[in-house]
Amino acid sequence: MNMIEKQVEVGKSLFEINKNTMSEMAELSRKNIETYFEVNRSFGEKLPEIREISAFLEMQREYGETLWNNAREAMESQTAILKGAFEETRDVLATAYSMEDAAPAKKTAKKKVAAES
């Protein structure tokens, strides 16, 4: 495979990785927003039932804890998606720029130099 074909394949592979990563991130964002609205709706429904300040404070603590846990899970999911994308990109670039292809060219150049001497 010549250099131009190799570059085209690298471009296609990187485009696919980026497209898939962005799709996964958009889907995750959609799910996170739905979860956020569901949590707010759930706690909003409980609010009229509160009659004491201690119950209100307890609900606030639960709400904050729930939001924190959801945010942590979302960040872990985003990190996993990005880590996968970086690994795929690394593999594509490692394959595209492997030293195996460069080695014959170096040997040929050394032979030419030796022949000219």
Side-chain angles (χ1 to χ4, degrees):
M1 181 182 295
N2 70 30
M3 186 60 114
I4 294 172
E5 291 172 336
K6 187 180 271 191
Q7 291 299 320
V8 168
E9 287 300 314
V10 168
K12 285 180 183 179
S13 297
L14 293 177
F15 175 78
E16 284 297 316
I17 291 168
N18 288 335
K19 182 182 78 164
N20 293 338
T21 301
M22 292 305 294
S23 294
E24 290 176 25
M25 293 294 279
E27 178 66 19
L28 181 63
S29 293
R30 184 190 61 75
K31 288 179 182 177
N32 290 338
I33 289 171
E34 287 175 358
T35 301
Y36 176 74
F37 284 130
E38 179 62 29
V39 166
N40 283 334
R41 186 189 58 74
S42 172
F43 280 95
E45 289 173 354
K46 294 178 185 177
L47 196 56
E49 300 168 7
I50 302 293
R51 301 287 180 234
E52 299 174 0
I53 191 75
S54 61
F56 176 73
L57 294 175
E58 178 63 23
M59 189 180 83
Q60 279 295 106
R61 187 195 61 74
E62 288 176 18
Y63 177 73
E65 186 177 308
T66 302
L67 287 179
W68 177 255
N69 289 334
N70 289 343
R72 183 180 43 79
E73 290 172 9
M75 289 301 292
E76 288 172 355
S77 297
Q78 289 174 351
T79 301
I81 291 170
L82 292 175
K83 184 178 179 181
F86 280 121
E87 289 172 354
E88 287 180 55
T89 301
R90 180 194 63 214
D91 294 343
V92 166
L93 293 176
T95 301
Y97 298 109
S98 66
M99 294 306 290
E100 295 172 5
D101 294 336
K106 287 181 181 178
K107 288 180 184 176
T108 306
K110 287 181 183 178
K111 288 181 184 177
K112 286 182 182 178
V113 171
E116 292 174 1
S117 297

